[in-house]
Amino acid sequence: MTSQDKVAGGISDLALVVPVYNFENHISLTFNKIKDWRARHSNLSIKVIFVDDGSKDQTVQILEKLKTGCDEWCEILACQKNAGKGAAVRAGVQVAYRFQSKTIFFTDCDLHYGLDIIVERLVQELDHSDIVIVDRSWTMHSHHHHFLRKLATSIFKRVVSILTGVNYLDTQAGLKGFRAAQCKPIFEVLTLNGFSFDVELLSVALYFRFQIKQVPVEFDRSHSFPNYSSVQLLSHSLAMIGEVIKINLNWKNGRYLSEGLLKPVNETIYRVNPKL
């Protein structure tokens, strides 16, 4: 992985991590939307970290050109090979900690949920919670028409619940936010590189009693959603189930039992003396 040797300095109020992969046709639109969004919230110090996950097209080159004049707030990381969304997000979060950001968010590169929701709603939720996630389950019926997608989603949720203890209806929404200082121990123990990275994160957070806030979202009727082929659904679902099994094995092997996560919980334990 390559990055600039020097990160634009200063403590930031908010860091936004945007993983990208083979997105050359739309990256300019995404970049300009983020740039305009920052301008609308100039009262906040917002840093943005684009993480290219080994794109084979011109995504990185286009980003480098777009970044001209934006070095103060924009960082680009270029991975040498495609490792997966989880790996890309973790790499971006590491940079966010170098920014000393108070809150950290990550979102999909198509900005599926927009950007205004971050400042207008999610940041405020982090005043009372450690983690905030958007929840599409309230309106799933409006855009999950395909039978195979419904079936794959249902099976995945069931497997996730049994093997990881995560019972949320929507674990895979691509916009999540964190109180940086409190959640750093979580990111230090995560292992998955693929799309089940979200499940691993939530599994660890729930076990160690982090406060998680779900924010239901509803899309405008005119909003378009990506189409998925049967092959994509099957291959992605099988890969994600394999990753969920790895989470279960990690728990059995004590992979997530770090001192940074155990100590805060141990300090709250009330030890009962039945003889008194």
Side-chain angles (χ1 to χ4, degrees), residues 189 207-208 250-251 253-262:
V189 301
Y207 182 84
F208 289 104
N250 281 344
W251 278 116
N253 294 328
R255 176 64 179 81
Y256 304 123
L257 304 180
S258 72
E259 179 63 22
L261 290 168
L262 285 168

Side-chain angles (χ1 to χ4, degrees), residues 19-37:
V20 297
Y21 179 67
N22 288 346
F23 205 57
E24 63 179 6
N25 292 331
H26 306 287
I27 193 61
S28 295
L29 179 61
T30 291
F31 187 95
N32 288 325
K33 283 184 176 180
I34 292 174
K35 185 177 181 180
D36 291 344
W37 168 69

Side-chain angles (χ1 to χ4, degrees), residues 164 192 196 199-200 243-251 256:
T164 72
L192 296 187
S196 293
V199 176
E200 183 182 35
E243 290 183 335
V244 169
I245 292 173
K246 290 181 181 178
I247 297 173
N248 183 267
L249 292 175
N250 281 344
W251 278 116
Y256 304 123

Side-chain angles (χ1 to χ4, degrees), residues 165-218:
V166 177
N167 293 309
Y168 291 137
L169 293 176
D170 187 7
T171 60
Q172 299 308 112
L175 175 58
K176 294 178 172 68
F178 311 85
R179 295 173 70 186
Q182 287 76 7
C183 293
K184 188 174 183 180
I186 297 178
F187 286 101
E188 291 175 342
V189 301
L190 300 181
T191 64
L192 296 187
N193 292 335
F195 286 101
S196 293
F197 158 82
D198 299 77
V199 176
E200 183 182 35
L201 189 158
L202 292 173
S203 181
V204 174
L206 285 168
Y207 182 84
F208 289 104
R209 309 298 193 267
F210 284 79
Q211 296 297 313
I212 303 174
K213 174 68 176 181
Q214 298 179 83
V215 175
V217 294
E218 184 175 30

Side-chain angles (χ1 to χ4, degrees), residues 126-141:
L126 289 177
D127 288 338
H128 312 287
S129 304
D130 301 308
I131 300 171
V132 60
I133 63 177
V134 297
D135 177 12
R136 301 163 296 177
S137 65
W138 291 80
T139 54
M140 282 290 192
H141 63 278

